[in-house]
Amino acid sequence: MNLQTENVSWSVEAKKIVDAVTLAVAEGEFVGLLGPNGSGKSSLLRIIYRILKPDAGVIELAGANVWQLSPRQVARQMAVVMQERTGDFDFSVHEIVMMGRNPHKGMFDRDTTHDFQLVDEALARVDMTDFAQRSFLTLSGGEKQRVLIARALVQQAKFLVLDEPTNHLDIHYQLEILELVKNLGVTTIAALHELNLAAFYCDRLYMLKAGRLVASGTPEEVLHPDLIRQVYGVWSEVATHPLTGKLVINFFPEALGSRLNGNGRKK
Amino acid sequence: MSMLTAIQSASAGQSRATQLRFWLLLGGLAVLLLVSITLGITLGPVEIPVSAVWRIAASETLRVLSDITSLDLSGWVNIEEDWSKAQFNIIWLIRFPRVLLGVFVGAGLAAVGVTMQALVRNPLADPYILGISSGASVGAVAVLAFGAFAFAGIYAISFGAFVGSTLTFFIVFLLAQSNGRLNPARLILAGVAVAYFFSGLTSFITLTSDKRELARAVLAWLLGSLAGTDWPELTLPAVVLLFGSLYLAMQARGLNALIVGDETAATLGVDLTRFRRLLFLAVSLVTGVMVAVSGAIGFIGLMIPHIVRLMVGTDHRRVLPVSIFVGSIFLIWVDVVARTAFDPVELPVGVITSLLGGPFFLWLLHRQLKERGGL
């Protein structure tokens, strides 16, 4: 399942939050969306998953304009994992995951054995089987994310959108969640704020600044100290890890950074 | 058997057990409802034998059936009419319709409460607290005072109440928005303010009207009462309750998604705008029709869903049907208390629900403030 956005823009009161963004996610890719807070990552994702209607531009999912599909049709093809709080209303983990079947169900349809199997398989896949009857509200952040990923699996969508899936999680859970998603092998676009994780897991990256795309390509093509300095306003050093072969980025505060940079230490 | 299938059967089995418990609960509640209706009819200042209740009902049903089909059915079932004329009047003409109205109104308000709480994602929502009932009262009183909506004939009062409830819900909803999001604190405050305004308006219309009978009617509307119901008045609430609750029950999956969050609902395939509009209409219609016949009976929609969620969890496929039963049983008994406990004074049922509901609301509010540090 592939996704394309073409010249997508969205503004709030004359302020462009997303500005003429054109990007593409090919079948099977894990694409990372980077950028500092307020760069428009979440807004762009919300446009992609059809919550925000863009002022201009087209979003195509498998060649079809998402605004010409019904929410139900979109939901059968695209699943979204976002920060979620159920507030005052508690559901069991099993119930939350079963909601993933909603887009496949008519008004009179009941949960079938097939639905139960899908839920069980999904819970097993995210290693949450023992939590099926637990209350969702009592779970930790990492557990909640895993449950929401299970719901996305049950949705049987071919395209996955993740909005900062590792936000507020311990490093252990950050790795666990991304490892899980990567191993699903589903076409994915994820907004990420942690550059090292993005470099490690993503096939390709898009970098946003103030709503505009400023770079795109493989991690090696995108993650340059100059660009990081320009977008995030910090000094950094990018190296290749001897064992993983992936990029590793170190960040430096202003004083130290300018001194190191003066010494010409750049990759 | 592979490990995965072992897990599967365990989970499906667990859910089958949950399902069985749910149907047992529903069956139990159905029996309890029948018992409550029977007792609700027999209890009162005039002693009525339990056996007479359903025999009168059967003989009346038979009579109506033979009227409709113009067949002589009396040969089929022989019911010996051993009750007096006075007993007949009390049972069939006074208490039966009154208890049934309690069933419909209790069920309707509970279903509306469940739906509103999902719609605004706030357990404090209730048609009374958010001012919808007051809006409906204004609509109803306007019909009586000015003869508005005369085209609707005998349903003019219900129509007026429906218009009033829809408008009010819309106003409260608009007032509660800030930056395109529903703010819980604003929602409650807007509801309370609107409720006061419309209660004032109802009193104003009544007191300045030259129609004398209005003054008495308005008390019933402001306080909420099931007294003085007759059979023809039951038709509309029964039909609206039937279709309203069927519609809502069919939307249970959507309500589940909606109560988790707008974006969640949308990404699970709910057409938010359309779904919200339909729920809006359903809530306003049921509230309007119930208020038109019984006035503003408060807090049913607040208390019942909350108690039911403690029993069966949040899944609307269970919460809705159970709330409908619990709401009707609850209102039957509150009305029994209202008309018998303070003999010779008969209280409007809304007085008792408010006395129970006010503290309940405060308790919920307190819990919410403690857990979240805000509304």
Side-chain angles (χ1 to χ4, degrees), chain B residues 136-157:
Chain B
S137 301
V138 172
V141 170
V143 170
L144 284 183
F146 313 123
F149 307 118
F151 62 85
I154 55 163
Y155 299 117
I157 293 179

Side-chain angles (χ1 to χ4, degrees), chain A residues 46 49-51 70-76 78-80 82 84-91 94-96 98-111 113 115-117 119-121 124 129 132-133 151 155, chain B residues 4 7-9 11-12 14-16 18-19 23 117-118 121-123 181 247 249-251 253-257 259-272 309 312-318 367-368 371-372:
Chain A
R46 294 171 85 207
Y49 61 75
R50 206 184 172 282
I51 289 280
S70 69
R72 211 173 141 83
Q73 285 171 316
V74 173
R76 287 182 191 171
M78 185 194 298
V80 182
M82 56 192 139
E84 204 162 276
R85 43 181 302 251
T86 54
D88 302 292
F89 302 99
D90 203 5
F91 285 98
H94 197 276
E95 286 167 341
I96 290 273
M98 189 59 97
M99 284 184 201
R101 297 307 295 155
N102 279 14
H104 301 276
K105 292 284 170 182
M107 279 185 211
F108 301 102
D109 292 341
R110 306 169 57 104
D111 299 337
T113 323
D115 298 325
F116 277 103
Q117 274 174 14
V119 171
D120 289 330
E121 280 166 21
T129 302
Q133 301 305 323
R151 187 178 71 198
Q155 212 170 327
Chain B
L4 200 59
I7 293 165
Q8 276 164 20
S9 51
S11 156
Q14 199 147 23
S15 113
R16 258 197 298 277
T18 316
Q19 202 66 14
W23 285 110
Q117 287 164 17
R121 214 164 302 122
N122 189 332
R181 276 174 189 277
Y247 171 75
M250 286 189 306
Q251 306 304 321
R253 279 177 203 275
L255 289 170
N256 284 347
I259 211 168
V260 174
D262 283 354
E263 298 209 354
T264 302
T267 58
L268 290 176
V270 173
D271 188 338
L272 270 187
R309 271 191 218 104
V312 301
T314 314
D315 190 337
H316 287 86
R317 285 178 285 180
R318 294 194 296 271
R367 246 185 35 159
Q368 218 173 1
E371 276 172 17
R372 291 207 271 149

Side-chain angles (χ1 to χ4, degrees), chain A residues 207-248:
Chain A
M207 180 84 84
L208 277 174
K209 187 194 178 189
R212 300 188 72 97
L213 273 186
V214 290
S216 65
T218 61
E220 288 74 16
E221 288 165 342
V222 172
L223 296 172
H224 273 284
D226 292 342
L227 185 73
I228 293 171
R229 172 105 184 114
Q230 182 204 329
V231 172
Y232 289 88
V234 297
W235 296 98
S236 62
E237 180 199 58
V238 180
T240 306
H241 193 273
L243 290 179
T244 63
K246 303 275 188 180
L247 294 188
V248 182

Side-chain angles (χ1 to χ4, degrees), chain B residues 94 131 154 197 230-231 247 262 279 288 339-340:
Chain B
I94 298 177
I154 55 163
F197 177 77
D230 54 24
W231 282 100
Y247 171 75
D262 283 354
L279 291 180
R339 60 171 209 253
T340 58

Side-chain angles (χ1 to χ4, degrees), chain A residues 4 9 13 27 32 35 57 64 84 90 115 135 142 144 157 162 183 195 218 230 237 241 263:
Chain A
Q4 270 167 332
S9 296
E13 293 167 4
E27 173 85 46
E84 204 162 276
D90 203 5
D115 298 325
S135 119
K144 280 183 182 160
L162 306 171
N183 289 334
L195 300 189
T218 61
Q230 182 204 329
E237 180 199 58
H241 193 273
N263 294 339

